[in-house]
Amino acid sequence: QPQQRPWFLCRNEDLKEMLESNKESLKLEAMKRIVGLIAKGKNASELFPAVVKNVASKNIELKKLVYVYLVRYAEEQQDLALLSISTFQRALKDPNQLIRASALRVLSSIRVPIIVPIMMLAIKEAATDLSPYVRKTAAHAIQKLYSLDPDQKEHLIEVIEKLLKDKSTLVAGSVVMAFEEVCPDRIDLIHKNYRKLCNLLVDVEEWGQVVIIHMLTRYARTQFVSPWREDAVFDENSAKAFYDSEEERRVDQSKPYIMDPDHRLLLRNTKPLLQSRNTAVVMAVSQLYWHLAPKHELSIITKSLVRLLRSHREVQYIVLQNIATMSIQRKGMFEPFMKSFYVRSTDATHIKTLKLEILTNLANEANISTILREFQTYVKSQDKAFAAATIQAIGCCATNISEVTDTCLNGLVLLLSNRDETVVAESVVVIKKLLQTQPSQHSDIIKHMAKLFDNITVPMARASILWLMGEYCEHVPKIAPDVLRKMAKTFTDEEDIVKLQIVNLAAKLYLTNSKQTKLLTQYILNLGKYDQNYDIRDRTRFIRQLIVPNEKSGALSKYARRILMAPKPAPVLQSAFKDRDRFQLGTLSHTLNSQASGYLELSDWPAVAPDQSVRNVEVVEPVRLPCIYLVFKDNENSDDSNKSSSSQSEKSSSESDSEKKKTLKNKKPQQQKLDSKDSSPVFVPETSHELLHRMTGKGLSAQYRFTRQPCIYGNSMVSLQLTLSNSTDQALENIHISEKSSTGQNIHRFNAIERLEPQASVTVSMGVDFNDSTQAANFQLCTKEDEFSVSIQPAVGELLLPITMSEADFTKEQGKLVGMNESSATITMTPENVSSQSVNRKVVSVANLGVIPSGQENIYRFSGKTVSSGSLVLVSVVLKDPDAVITINTEKTVMGSMLLRQVKTALTNSGP
Amino acid sequence: MIHSLFLINASGDIFLEKHWKSVVSRSVCDYFFEALERATEPENVPPVIPTPHHYLINVLRHRIYFVAVIQSEVPPLFVIEFLHRVVDTFQDYFGVCTEAAIKDNVVVVYELLEEMLDNGFPLATESNILKELIKPPTILRTVVNTITGSTNVGEQLPTGQLSVVPWRRTGVKYTNNEAYFDVVEEIDAIIDKSGSTITAEIQGVIDACVKLTGMPDLTLSFMNPRLLDDVSFHPCVRFKRWEAERILSFIPPDGNFRLLSYHVSSQNLVAIPVYVKHNISFREGSSQGRFELTLGPKQTMGKAVESVLVSSQLPRGVLNANLNPSQGTYTFDPVTKLLSWDVGKINPQKLPSLKGSMSLQTGASKPDENPTINIQFKIQQLAISGLKVNRLDMYGEKYKPFKGIKYMTKAGKFQVRT
């Protein structure tokens, strides 16, 4: 009996049918449902084969949805994903820039390690594309490739270096992003582009601006000297610096600080961006000023930051955090805007607490009474957590500003009679902290608290009061024993923290006033001894041994008084935002107050400025203008009124592909005498060949396959992909190709693999210059212990690269390569091979050739060139039912005849 | 930068996920749910939540949490701003940004998200560009699409992305050329018990709806530009001209957009258009409380105060309120203790009032906090700061556009402490 399939499989089954139907609308409907599944997080990966077939669809929406699917599942279905690659490779050559860009975007988003060389090549090519949009896409692709294969770093840095020189505003943001991700330490790449980036900045799109500003902040901190030294004297918080640096000041006076013009350039060009509507941009400029500007110029960022407080809750949260950090060091910046930080009852709790923090930081002798009045309102808030935070804030103000300590203390004492427990508890805790700073003057407050004690039920508050009683029992000699008496009665009903403090109080009183409290203490210690909580039992036992002298207690009890009654340092009430500016403002790390992964440290100012001339740029530089501008140039004279960007945009839109192609053609150096173009392979066979069997390789096995791509290591090399697997149970180390090659071929070795774990395998790429011959390349594959001789024997078809040309060119070229250069054969075709698809497929599977669109039905033409010497190889198949004539024209006659033999076998064999 | 996005509704269900890099398991949201559980109010969830391997940055809008998953250092505002931009785009496309709207349009949502980010870095966020790429769904188009099988995705390629004015789509054509500007000012104020102003400031925006053919170049000038203390612009505004001449010069995007937001500083005296007389009291030992509220116009420059809505969060001890409004209707929610009174228009001859008693829990002590009163109102044809547009000129096109300017003053965060 067949097993019942779960319902969702059945559903997917009908999706599969829809995808395989001939109707576009059905396919689209199916894709929409699949996207719905993906959005819900359901697994739709089993439909991969059906979906991927539609990758080349003409319907744009269908195609886009297939892309969405492909990018989502390619990582899980690597082998099948490869089927789509050739479509993208073809699109990379499309005359339309947007299609090229979209192809590169999707190709680079497919996270399949095997296509790394293809991606690398595509990125390199796109980086020199005439369209800035394609170059922008290339910059994005850099990061994707880097995260897929970090080994490509060096090559990618070359591309980044090239793109950093780009003058287009479209590219700037994206390439700096790539720079930050791949090689943020290569600050040397920025020098020459620094001024250009500063000048472009205003016109870059907003997201790019944020990234560039953050990068330039880091750059500036390594290249310019501090602008702060000179005006440190005026700095409100640096009185210490003033005294400490008498000597330094003399140096300053003798050599006044002059800001590097490049430093000034950055400050000047970022300033207008404070007016951006994008809050991230405003924050980025603010942090740049904070970290780079002379202190007296800082005030210009204040207004903009305060403006951001009108924005969404989440924006407020981040901005307030940054203001909190700033306001600790520079109260003056925000003091005029103090009222903007007043709390509204509708604010979220974390916004309220941040505002409190800032108000506390801003408090000084002049405004403290206003702030305290405001705080009084907050204390009454219905949001009790916030009321408690306000009490803490009052405590902070009281310690920071000695003039108001007494006022605050009195206010807090009044709060002790508040009806809300959290308020009372928090007040007690804060009062306790305040009293510790000056206990002697406040015995009446302690008495007052003792009176209130009966009404307070919050354990933390009760514990705090008891601690105060014990600590200052000498100031309240009459009350303390009475409190202890009451406590002895209720001991068993108290919370654990209160019990601990009762034991403490008893011990302290026993030491200071043993006459009155001896019996009470003993009673309490007895209660403690049988308490359910072992902490309390422990503490009781310890206290008893310490304070009650008996024969067993050693020398320690002599010191009991000094141990228990030691003067204790007052707690320091300070802001949670103190020292938070060790993190660059505006960063995630600053928000979290801990280093986030990938955080880039801001360096200290250099003592001496590095060479300034590194940023000089030679004036004459061959600039290749992007095509858009070329179009403008033509029209600029005819345009009278608007010199501004307005006129340009209009023209850019009128840019047509034909115009672009013209420019493209003009620009491209005419290396080839005929109008043929390199093209991507039509077909890439998946079959791999064995290089080293695991038996002979002592557990190391290797397989190779031809990628049929132009080799990135050298123009005359054939690109190969090697898969190395370790089938032993030990890791293999240092796998590499030996330097000496026994035959003469030039081999580009892969980078040595340091370590290959057991059962693991790794794929690397290498290049071999076979010099247009099928002679095997022999070399030594080595591990740390062993060397294995291996050889790669290429099929003749792999020594070619496809090119495309027009039919006319083909016949013309064919006409030149006759006589000795022509070899041909007649074969009998089996009927199932006669279809055009099957002929094409068979030929391209044997040889890496490009298909030439043919005007005649029974003639098939293929063209390619040899990898090393670039000689043309032309193949034509003419069908004359039931026979077929295969003709091969090439200068390389040996290759020609070998190729003929292979094509012949392929076409006569039936089967796929 | 942004790895993945999860959309979570008020009841804590993930109803949409999108990944721009490798897939991040949705279990990462568990950390968010923990934070959600800890928060007393939905707004109290911290916007940034660290987890062992990722960082979650979320925004809450329309009762939906947009949770972005981040793997490494990034300016948090960058992500937050982007998420808000996503919400704005959804709203622009679907009219509302609700769970139902998103679920109904899941394909469009996916297509939009795909265009807005590439590898986690923003690609196209301008509404004009996006609309060229993906047409917003309309009922008509949905019907047509079902019949003809045509699509929402633009057949044309978005040339706007390549242009120097990326915010404006090309080939715009209208038969009626019109440009409307709304000057909307909001008053944020805190008024204390005695009726004196603790803090007040004016935040203004100029929202535009421009439907003009071709590539018009507009300039807008003010009678009194000095009033504007701090401004932020749409990227289309030429900053240099503002700096030099205090004139807004720009090529507008097509359709609706926010041209300018500004701030009139708190240093200037701000006119407060309404006053509130209140007497809210609880007596010790009694289970009754008195509630009296009267509203009146103050400095309104002779304009009517409309759409007045008063709301107040009464203390927890209040069980019920028995009130009598002289006009409008009031509601009291005994669960949330939220009192709201829809007043309507204030008639200066007969001031609206709301009087009555509140019943308290018997035996409970009197609440010691007094409720804050939040007021909303609108005044048409008035910019309370006195800002006035001088003229609007158009260059670059031949036709005569129809121009309109509207002023309005609204209450922003307007609170009265009692």
Side-chain angles (χ1 to χ4, degrees):
Chain A
Q1 195 188 338
Q3 222 178 358
Q4 187 92 48
R5 303 180 70 178
W7 64 270
F8 58 87
L9 281 184
C10 306
R11 258 178 70 117
N12 287 356
E13 210 51 54
D14 85 88
L15 285 173
K16 206 168 162 186
E17 269 166 35
M18 285 164 84
L19 284 170
E20 277 161 5
S21 81
N22 293 324
K23 278 195 198 141
E24 290 275 286
S25 58
L26 269 182
K27 289 182 178 179
L28 190 59
E29 186 55 41
M31 276 319 293
K32 284 184 173 173
R33 273 173 51 193
I34 293 171
V35 167
L37 289 177
I38 297 175
K40 278 190 215 124
K42 301 238 166 72
N43 185 8
S45 62
E46 57 184 27
L47 290 163
F48 203 98
V51 173
V52 83
K53 278 180 202 153
N54 294 306
V55 72
S57 165
K58 290 275 177 294
N59 181 316
I60 294 186
E61 184 165 24
L62 180 59
K63 194 154 76 176
K64 280 197 172 170
L65 295 179
V66 172
Y67 287 179
V68 168
Y69 182 92
L70 197 60
V71 172
R72 169 68 180 77
Y73 286 114
E75 217 171 353
E76 297 168 25
Q77 305 264 353
Q78 307 223 346
D79 294 341
L80 288 168
L82 292 176
L83 293 176
S84 63
I85 302 297
S86 60
T87 315
F88 298 121
Q89 285 183 308
R90 224 167 310 148
L92 283 173
K93 310 276 179 200
D94 197 279
N96 186 316
Q97 48 179 336
L98 289 153
I99 293 180
R100 289 202 299 279
S102 130
L104 178 59
R105 204 180 139 192
V106 182
L107 179 70
S108 55
S109 300
I110 297 176
R111 290 168 294 270
V112 178
I114 293 181
I115 64 165
V116 164
I118 300 178
M119 272 166 78
M120 192 66 225
L121 198 74
I123 289 171
K124 278 192 171 164
E125 218 151 87
T128 55
D129 200 288
L130 288 173
S131 152
Y133 187 63
V134 176
R135 298 202 298 275
K136 180 189 178 75
T137 318
H140 284 208
I142 291 173
Q143 306 164 51
K144 301 182 204 168
L145 180 53
Y146 180 63
S147 62
L148 185 64
D149 182 6
D151 290 345
Q152 302 293 325
K153 187 169 175 179
E154 289 312 312
H155 299 287
L156 289 173
I157 291 177
E158 280 167 33
V159 184
I160 290 173
E161 193 172 359
K162 195 182 292 165
L163 283 174
L164 275 171
K165 295 198 182 101
D166 207 298
K167 293 213 161 35
S168 162
T169 51
L170 263 180
V171 184
S174 304
V175 67
V176 170
M177 187 64 226
F179 170 85
E180 293 279 80
E181 204 111 306
V182 179
C183 53
D185 46 339
R186 289 291 303 276
I187 218 95
D188 56 295
L189 297 180
I190 303 299
H191 291 319
K192 289 262 180 277
N193 303 298
Y194 174 82
R195 288 175 198 165
K196 183 198 69 192
L197 283 172
C198 286
N199 288 323
L200 279 184
L201 196 56
V202 187
D203 296 320
V204 174
E205 38 83 37
E206 22 189 11
W207 310 107
Q209 286 173 346
V210 178
V211 176
I212 296 176
I213 292 170
H214 273 271
M215 188 275 287
L216 289 179
T217 311
R218 268 190 321 116
Y219 177 85
R221 282 290 279 259
T222 62
Q223 298 300 317
F224 307 125
V225 289
S226 166
W228 298 340
R229 226 168 13 145
E230 187 208 23
D231 56 4
V233 184
F234 308 109
D235 193 345
E236 52 185 321
N237 284 347
S238 60
K240 197 165 135 268
F242 180 88
Y243 296 116
D244 280 357
S245 59
E246 207 60 49
E247 202 170 323
E248 205 180 65
R249 218 153 61 85
R250 244 185 296 123
V251 178
D252 279 352
Q253 277 162 355
S254 62
K255 206 176 112 208
Y257 166 76
I258 298 165
M259 189 183 273
D260 187 309
D262 285 329
H263 190 172
R264 176 50 68 199
L265 177 76
L266 178 59
L267 293 174
R268 197 175 50 232
N269 284 5
T270 47
K271 191 179 155 197
L273 297 179
L274 283 172
Q275 251 72 47
S276 170
R277 65 166 171 175
N278 187 316
T279 58
V281 176
V282 178
M283 190 65 233
V285 179
S286 303
Q287 66 83 25
L288 181 134
Y289 264 76
W290 178 260
H291 292 294
L292 299 180
K295 299 288 187 198
H296 60 269
E297 287 178 36
L298 259 183
S299 55
I300 65 159
I301 65 173
T302 313
K303 258 188 216 171
S304 307
L305 284 175
V306 172
R307 166 164 46 86
L308 298 190
L309 296 181
R310 273 286 298 186
S311 192
H312 298 285
R313 177 183 67 99
E314 299 84 8
V315 175
Q316 285 181 37
Y317 175 71
I318 305 291
V319 174
L320 285 170
Q321 278 192 325
N322 285 287
I323 292 179
T325 304
M326 293 183 190
S327 62
I328 287 178
Q329 286 185 36
R330 305 192 63 85
K331 288 182 192 207
M333 265 174 85
F334 293 98
E335 213 200 315
F337 294 89
M338 195 173 79
K339 289 186 173 175
S340 302
F341 304 107
Y342 280 8
V343 174
R344 290 160 202 282
S345 58
T346 42
D347 288 333
T349 304
H350 53 255
I351 302 283
K352 286 179 183 164
T353 20
L354 280 170
K355 283 184 170 176
L356 261 186
E357 187 78 48
I358 293 168
L359 286 173
T360 314
N361 291 341
L362 293 181
N364 58 24
E365 286 85 355
N367 61 22
I368 184 69
S369 58
T370 328
I371 289 185
L372 283 180
R373 207 175 319 128
E374 187 66 16
F375 280 179
Q376 276 170 24
T377 327
Y378 301 164
V379 169
K380 285 187 219 145
S381 162
Q382 300 187 31
D383 182 346
K384 290 307 164 199
F386 169 59
T390 309
I391 293 165
Q392 291 279 1
I394 294 174
C396 274
C397 289
T399 35
N400 295 342
I401 303 163
S402 52
E403 280 90 338
V404 293
T405 313
D406 289 346
T407 331
C408 290
L409 210 45
N410 290 337
L412 290 170
V413 170
L414 284 181
L415 287 177
L416 290 177
S417 37
N418 194 293
R419 227 173 254 102
D420 191 87
E421 288 204 344
T422 38
V423 172
V424 176
E426 203 67 36
S427 307
V428 169
V429 175
V430 172
I431 289 175
K432 176 194 138 199
K433 286 182 188 165
L434 282 180
L435 286 185
Q436 265 184 278
T437 53
Q438 41 198 170
S440 54
Q441 304 153 24
H442 296 293
S443 52
D444 46 335
I445 293 180
I446 300 177
K447 278 178 205 155
H448 182 72
M449 286 167 79
K451 261 183 237 158
L452 288 170
F453 188 72
D454 293 344
N455 299 327
I456 294 173
T457 54
V458 176
M460 188 62 209
R462 286 175 79 85
S464 291
I465 294 179
L466 288 173
W467 185 86
L468 271 176
M469 292 287 156
E471 193 64 20
Y472 306 116
C473 52
E474 276 154 341
H475 299 289
V476 282
K478 291 207 177 106
I479 296 170
D482 193 49
V483 171
L484 188 65
R485 179 185 60 80
K486 283 189 204 159
M487 285 293 92
K489 269 198 247 172
T490 58
F491 184 89
T492 44
D493 302 327
E494 299 289 347
E495 287 282 325
D496 291 343
I497 46 167
V498 184
K499 283 179 181 169
L500 286 176
Q501 289 308 329
I502 295 172
V503 174
N504 265 352
L505 175 66
K508 284 173 183 171
L509 283 174
Y510 182 84
L511 291 173
T512 54
N513 186 2
S514 62
K515 208 168 80 193
Q516 272 187 305
T517 57
K518 193 171 176 183
L519 283 173
L520 270 176
T521 306
Q522 265 165 3
Y523 174 64
I524 287 169
L525 289 178
N526 279 336
L527 286 177
K529 189 174 173 183
Y530 299 108
D531 199 86
Q532 286 187 327
N533 185 302
Y534 45 78
D535 278 342
I536 293 164
R537 295 199 301 272
D538 269 2
R539 176 71 65 88
T540 316
R541 210 163 293 139
F542 160 70
I543 292 284
R544 190 192 291 274
Q545 294 300 322
L546 189 62
I547 62 172
V548 187
N550 60 12
E551 66 278 11
K552 267 189 275 175
S553 67
L556 212 54
S557 64
K558 267 189 277 177
Y559 301 104
R561 199 184 161 90
R562 276 168 69 182
I563 290 170
L564 283 174
M565 303 300 283
K568 296 162 184 80
V572 190
L573 300 176
Q574 66 175 16
S575 167
F577 285 85
K578 197 167 159 53
D579 294 333
R580 224 189 244 201
D581 70 335
R582 65 198 159 107
F583 294 113
Q584 188 176 358
L585 292 191
T587 59
L588 186 61
S589 305
H590 175 267
T591 292
L592 299 169
N593 198 18
S594 69
Q595 185 154 337
S597 66
Y599 174 75
L600 300 168
E601 197 92 32
L602 209 56
S603 72
D604 278 330
W605 298 100
V608 182
D611 185 12
Q612 304 179 2
S613 63
V614 290
R615 284 183 294 275
N616 292 345
V617 185
E618 307 84 65
V619 184
V620 196
E621 196 180 291
V623 182
R624 202 184 47 193
L625 281 170
C627 48
I628 306 181
Y629 297 110
L630 288 180
V631 184
F632 296 153
K633 279 273 147 62
D634 301 340
N635 293 324
E636 211 159 52
N637 298 338
S638 61
D639 200 304
D640 44 5
S641 61
N642 302 322
K643 281 275 172 284
S644 55
S645 56
S646 60
S647 58
Q648 302 184 347
S649 64
E650 215 174 344
K651 301 302 166 324
S652 75
S653 58
S654 67
E655 173 221 347
S656 68
D657 283 333
S658 68
E659 258 173 313
K660 210 184 66 63
K661 242 195 252 165
K662 236 187 288 166
T663 41
L664 203 135
K665 236 198 257 174
N666 292 343
K667 289 286 166 191
K668 198 148 193 164
Q670 302 279 311
Q671 310 153 315
Q672 290 150 329
K673 47 192 189 297
L674 72 157
D675 194 10
S676 69
K677 276 201 283 184
D678 292 2
S679 74
S680 50
V682 182
F683 174 78
V684 182
E686 285 300 311
T687 48
S688 19
H689 314 271
E690 184 151 271
L691 187 64
L692 181 65
H693 190 265
R694 66 184 163 85
M695 297 309 285
T696 36
K698 299 185 184 170
L700 175 69
S701 68
Q703 300 209 308
Y704 69 93
R705 63 178 271 263
F706 294 94
T707 63
R708 291 195 170 183
Q709 300 297 328
C711 183
I712 50 176
Y713 307 116
N715 284 335
S716 58
M717 287 190 177
V718 173
S719 165
L720 284 160
Q721 204 166 59
L722 226 56
T723 308
L724 301 158
S725 320
N726 179 0
S727 51
T728 62
D729 48 8
Q730 279 156 4
L732 292 169
E733 288 182 344
N734 192 22
I735 304 172
H736 63 281
I737 295 175
S738 152
E739 293 296 316
K740 45 186 195 286
S741 155
S742 43
T743 44
Q745 287 97 343
N746 185 8
I747 295 176
H748 185 282
R749 297 163 188 86
F750 58 85
N751 293 338
I753 298 158
E754 275 170 27
R755 191 178 164 85
L756 188 62
E757 295 298 332
Q759 305 309 328
S761 62
V762 65
T763 304
V764 291
S765 57
M766 59 183 287
V768 180
D769 187 351
F770 286 103
N771 209 2
D772 289 352
S773 110
T774 52
Q775 203 191 351
N778 300 318
F779 53 92
Q780 310 283 326
L781 190 62
C782 315
T783 64
K784 202 176 160 196
E785 285 95 3
D786 299 293
E787 281 190 13
F788 309 102
S789 295
V790 292
S791 76
I792 294 179
Q793 169 98 50
V796 62
E798 305 297 344
L799 301 177
L800 304 173
L801 280 175
I803 52 176
T804 54
M805 60 175 82
S806 69
E807 208 173 345
D809 283 335
F810 185 93
T811 18
K812 203 170 86 196
E813 289 301 321
Q814 205 175 26
K816 290 182 198 161
L817 294 166
V818 287
M820 249 185 77
N821 294 334
E822 186 174 281
S823 40
S824 69
T826 309
I827 53 163
T828 312
M829 299 277 281
T830 46
E832 70 259 31
N833 283 355
V834 177
S835 76
S836 66
Q837 270 181 343
S838 123
V839 173
N840 280 347
R841 198 178 59 234
K842 292 208 162 185
V843 175
V844 295
S845 65
V846 174
N848 192 10
L849 291 167
V851 180
I852 287 172
S854 168
Q856 292 138 291
E857 238 178 271
N858 55 347
I859 303 183
Y860 302 96
R861 298 191 172 91
F862 307 89
S863 62
K865 61 173 185 186
T866 58
V867 175
S868 295
S869 60
S871 317
L872 272 182
V873 178
L874 307 172
V875 178
S876 62
V877 179
V878 182
L879 295 186
K880 292 176 194 155
D881 196 38
D883 290 347
V885 180
I886 309 165
T887 315
I888 292 179
N889 304 69
T890 176
E891 284 171 4
K892 301 268 169 184
T893 44
V894 183
M895 285 180 81
S897 59
M898 288 170 84
L899 189 60
L900 181 65
R901 209 162 41 230
Q902 298 214 342
V903 175
K904 223 165 83 180
T905 356
L907 284 176
T908 40
N909 274 354
S910 53
Chain B
M1 292 188 135
I2 297 172
H3 249 256
S4 305
L5 175 71
F6 293 97
L7 267 53
I8 298 172
N9 64 14
S11 47
D13 300 322
I14 303 171
F15 66 94
L16 188 116
E17 63 179 72
K18 169 94 181 104
H19 308 273
W20 284 274
K21 301 185 183 185
S22 295
V23 177
V24 177
S25 155
R26 53 165 70 194
S27 63
V28 77
C29 291
D30 292 349
Y31 295 96
F32 173 81
F33 293 131
E34 268 173 40
L36 187 64
E37 233 164 76
R38 271 198 301 273
T40 45
E41 300 279 323
E43 291 82 33
N44 285 350
V45 179
V48 183
I49 302 167
T51 79
H53 301 291
H54 300 91
Y55 305 95
L56 306 178
I57 299 185
N58 69 83
V59 306
L60 170 66
R61 283 194 48 195
H62 309 287
R63 297 158 53 79
I64 300 171
Y65 289 99
F66 292 76
V67 184
V69 183
I70 311 295
Q71 208 152 38
S72 60
E73 175 61 65
V74 59
L77 269 188
F78 186 100
V79 182
I80 290 171
E81 177 81 23
F82 175 80
L83 292 176
H84 281 297
R85 215 54 86 74
V86 170
V87 182
D88 293 341
T89 308
F90 287 172
Q91 217 168 356
D92 193 22
Y93 264 74
F94 314 130
V96 284
C97 179
T98 58
E99 184 183 349
I102 291 173
K103 277 182 171 168
D104 286 350
N105 295 293
V106 71
V107 175
V108 180
V109 165
Y110 241 67
E111 284 166 352
L112 281 172
L113 290 175
E114 188 72 20
E115 294 299 336
M116 291 180 84
L117 278 186
D118 180 16
N119 196 37
F121 190 78
L123 192 63
T125 49
E126 279 300 333
S127 125
N128 266 249
I129 294 182
L130 286 171
K131 283 192 177 156
E132 260 184 287
L133 288 165
I134 301 145
K135 293 184 198 125
T138 59
I139 294 175
L140 183 68
R141 191 170 296 134
T142 319
V143 173
V144 172
N145 286 357
T146 353
I147 298 167
T148 62
S150 60
T151 69
N152 277 328
V153 171
E155 293 289 330
Q156 288 171 338
L157 293 155
T159 42
Q161 232 158 343
L162 312 170
S163 103
V164 199
V165 275
W167 55 84
R168 186 169 178 89
R169 65 190 184 92
T170 49
V172 183
K173 271 215 178 74
Y174 289 104
T175 41
N176 298 321
N177 289 294
E178 10 177 60
Y180 298 106
F181 294 86
D182 290 355
V183 180
V184 182
E185 297 195 333
E186 294 192 357
I187 306 176
D188 287 357
I190 303 178
I191 312 286
D192 79 354
K193 217 177 180 137
S194 60
S196 53
T197 310
I198 294 178
T199 160
E201 45 190 29
I202 298 171
Q203 308 282 342
V205 293
I206 300 184
D207 283 335
C209 173
V210 177
K211 295 182 172 173
L212 296 175
T213 306
M215 240 343 132
D217 197 335
L218 304 178
T219 58
L220 185 93
S221 61
F222 298 102
M223 305 272 264
N224 40 9
R226 305 261 157 240
L227 265 180
L228 306 182
D229 185 41
D230 183 46
V231 281
S232 74
F233 303 114
H234 189 275
C236 70
V237 176
R238 298 185 181 102
F239 183 72
K240 292 250 160 64
R241 280 202 76 182
W242 171 258
E243 283 282 88
E245 307 166 57
R246 297 273 148 178
I247 281 176
L248 294 176
S249 154
F250 56 98
I251 295 167
D254 184 47
N256 296 311
F257 66 101
R258 176 155 295 175
L259 178 64
L260 170 79
S261 24
Y262 60 89
H263 179 256
V264 179
S265 78
S266 46
Q267 266 76 7
N268 293 15
L269 230 53
V270 176
I272 303 292
V274 291
Y275 71 87
V276 182
K277 268 200 232 157
H278 52 83
N279 179 12
I280 302 170
S281 60
F282 306 98
R283 247 177 311 138
E284 195 66 66
S286 151
S287 63
Q288 292 282 310
R290 277 170 64 77
F291 189 97
E292 275 181 42
L293 202 67
T294 310
L295 293 172
K298 212 171 164 186
Q299 295 157 292
T300 62
M301 327 286 166
K303 300 279 194 307
V305 184
E306 296 170 326
S307 315
V308 182
L309 186 76
V310 177
S311 61
S312 179
Q313 182 76 47
L314 296 185
R316 235 161 295 169
V318 177
L319 281 183
N320 212 340
N322 186 13
L323 305 174
N324 187 17
S326 72
Q327 71 178 73
T329 53
Y330 86 96
T331 55
F332 176 75
D333 184 340
V335 180
T336 59
K337 316 290 182 200
L338 188 72
L339 172 78
S340 68
W341 175 29
D342 190 350
V343 184
K345 195 170 163 179
I346 296 183
N347 177 0
Q349 266 70 49
K350 192 172 163 288
L351 296 179
S353 65
L354 182 66
K355 290 179 186 165
S357 61
M358 298 172 285
S359 50
L360 297 167
Q361 239 157 352
T362 40
S365 52
K366 104 179 183 23
D368 50 5
E369 71 267 1
N370 273 335
T372 319
I373 298 164
N374 295 302
I375 303 179
Q376 287 166 43
F377 56 81
K378 267 185 205 164
I379 306 172
Q380 302 283 357
Q381 291 151 29
L382 173 75
I384 197 92
S385 68
L387 186 76
K388 272 224 150 57
V389 172
N390 188 19
R391 53 182 298 145
L392 174 73
D393 297 304
M394 186 182 77
Y395 304 95
E397 294 288 336
K398 298 268 182 303
Y399 56 84
K400 274 253 172 281
F402 184 81
K403 300 177 274 193
I405 303 249
K406 212 167 75 181
Y407 296 93
M408 180 152 70
T409 297
K410 286 202 286 194
K413 295 170 181 164
F414 197 99
Q415 296 199 335
V416 181
R417 292 175 179 166
T418 63

